[in-house]
Amino acid sequence: MRLRNTKKDTKQIIAKCFGNRIYFGPFSGLKIPEKLLNVLTLTEIIGFYESCLHFVFSDLLNRKIKNIIIIGGNNGYYAAGLSNLFNPDSLFIYEMVQDLHPKIASWFEINNLSDYKILGEATTEEFKKFEKKIDLLFMDCEGFEKTLLNPNEFNWQKNSDIIVELHPFYKDNLISDFTDKFQSTHSIQIIYDDFDEDDKVNKILDGLKLNINYAQHPSHRWINENGNKVYTSGLFLYLKRKSV
């Protein structure tokens, strides 16, 4: 869960500076739908959101990514960004919150992106239906990664590059569990939140001569645990298949 305590008018002003486009990073130039300007975080608008993953996307450009599954479509930021970056032949976007589907679709309409399908909840039954090769699996499913990420049950995952946000605050032994399951077929890399992200955002805001001080780390991620707000950090695994 992410905090969004930046004033709406501030985000509107900043987005206007960039022509209502993402400014920086691998999704630079992507047009932002008007309806999402007040929904996105400031770091998404600027392009520094989860910047620790930028090098992974650069690496994947050399790996013939043509078929993509996204688990957790949310507001469409990654769905549109990955579509724009790879121009895939097929893109399956799972998002169980139906109200988010039009928001996801709005990116594709305004940016004339490739074909895509927005689906509901990702389940084990859904995953068992896939027979074609999936080149990239991008997963952020709030603790259900342990259920949905299993090459012993879903054989196609053995041939997929995988980026997964881990939620160790929800589940125990996640890293060791995935290491055991994937080490024979994948190289495994742990990726942590970039805590210099705030400084990078402030550098851009200073360059725009806006009197804004951005400071979100480490309060931008949290979960509700037994009625208490518990702050968490970003933790990702990059599972890179050993053969292409």
Side-chain angles (χ1 to χ4, degrees):
M1 191 176 296
R2 293 170 286 180
L3 294 176
R4 291 183 173 89
N5 58 8
T6 305
K7 292 182 180 179
K8 291 182 179 181
D9 57 346
T10 298
K11 290 193 288 186
Q12 293 275 3
I13 291 169
I14 293 170
K16 186 176 181 180
C17 292
F18 307 136
N20 287 356
R21 290 175 170 84
I22 294 175
Y23 171 68
F24 182 80
F27 308 152
S28 176
L30 200 63
K31 297 175 184 175
I32 302 171
E34 186 74 26
K35 66 172 69 174
L36 290 180
L37 286 176
N38 290 332
V39 175
L40 298 180
T41 63
L42 183 59
T43 50
E44 286 171 325
I45 293 171
I46 293 179
F48 274 117
Y49 179 66
E50 294 182 339
S51 59
C52 59
L53 297 179
H54 286 184
F55 83 92
V56 176
F57 300 137
S58 295
D59 187 52
L60 290 170
L61 284 172
N62 301 300
R63 295 178 64 77
K64 299 179 182 178
I65 303 299
K66 289 300 179 183
N67 301 295
I68 301 174
I69 294 177
I70 296 176
I71 310 299
N74 201 314
N75 58 39
Y77 175 81
Y78 276 120
L82 295 179
S83 178
N84 188 58
L85 194 62
F86 296 110
N87 189 30
D89 294 333
S90 64
L91 173 60
F92 302 93
I93 307 161
Y94 285 90
E95 175 50 60
M96 61 190 301
V97 180
Q98 294 291 322
D99 289 346
L100 291 172
H101 290 195
K103 293 182 172 64
I104 297 171
S106 65
W107 289 93
F108 289 80
E109 295 164 3
I110 195 173
N111 287 285
N112 298 313
L113 296 173
S114 58
D115 289 341
Y116 65 99
K117 291 183 179 179
I118 305 177
L119 305 165
E121 182 180 1
T123 63
T124 55
E125 289 75 18
E126 278 284 315
F127 268 29
K128 288 176 181 177
K129 295 177 183 178
F130 282 97
E131 297 179 354
K132 68 187 298 183
K133 184 176 184 294
I134 300 300
D135 301 300
L136 175 61
L137 173 61
F138 187 93
M139 182 179 294
D140 180 5
C141 50
E142 302 298 323
F144 289 97
E145 59 269 19
K146 196 165 186 176
T147 300
L148 295 175
L149 202 54
N150 187 344
N152 299 320
E153 187 170 3
F154 315 114
N155 190 62
W156 55 266
Q157 292 182 359
K158 295 177 181 178
N159 297 308
S160 302
D161 287 317
I162 300 168
I163 304 170
V164 54
E165 181 174 357
L166 299 183
H167 296 276
F169 284 69
Y170 292 129
K171 302 285 184 179
D172 297 327
N173 307 315
L174 282 178
I175 294 178
S176 60
D177 180 68
F178 290 139
T179 299
D180 290 342
K181 289 176 178 176
F182 283 96
Q183 63 182 351
S184 64
T185 55
H186 290 70
S187 299
I188 303 172
Q189 185 171 357
I190 302 174
I191 303 170
Y192 305 95
D193 257 342
D194 180 5
F195 277 76
D196 292 327
E197 197 172 277
D198 288 1
D199 293 335
K200 296 172 184 176
V201 171
N202 278 318
K203 186 173 183 179
I204 290 176
L205 296 177
D206 289 344
L208 295 172
K209 302 187 184 306
L210 299 174
N211 187 25
I212 301 171
N213 181 48
Y214 179 84
Q216 290 289 307
H217 285 78
S219 63
H220 69 313
R221 296 181 188 274
W222 55 274
I223 63 172
N224 189 315
E225 187 174 67
N226 299 321
N228 298 313
K229 181 183 288 187
V230 176
Y231 293 103
T232 71
S233 63
L235 180 66
F236 305 85
L237 281 187
Y238 176 29
L239 306 174
K240 183 176 179 179
R241 65 193 190 279
K242 292 180 179 179
S243 60
V244 180

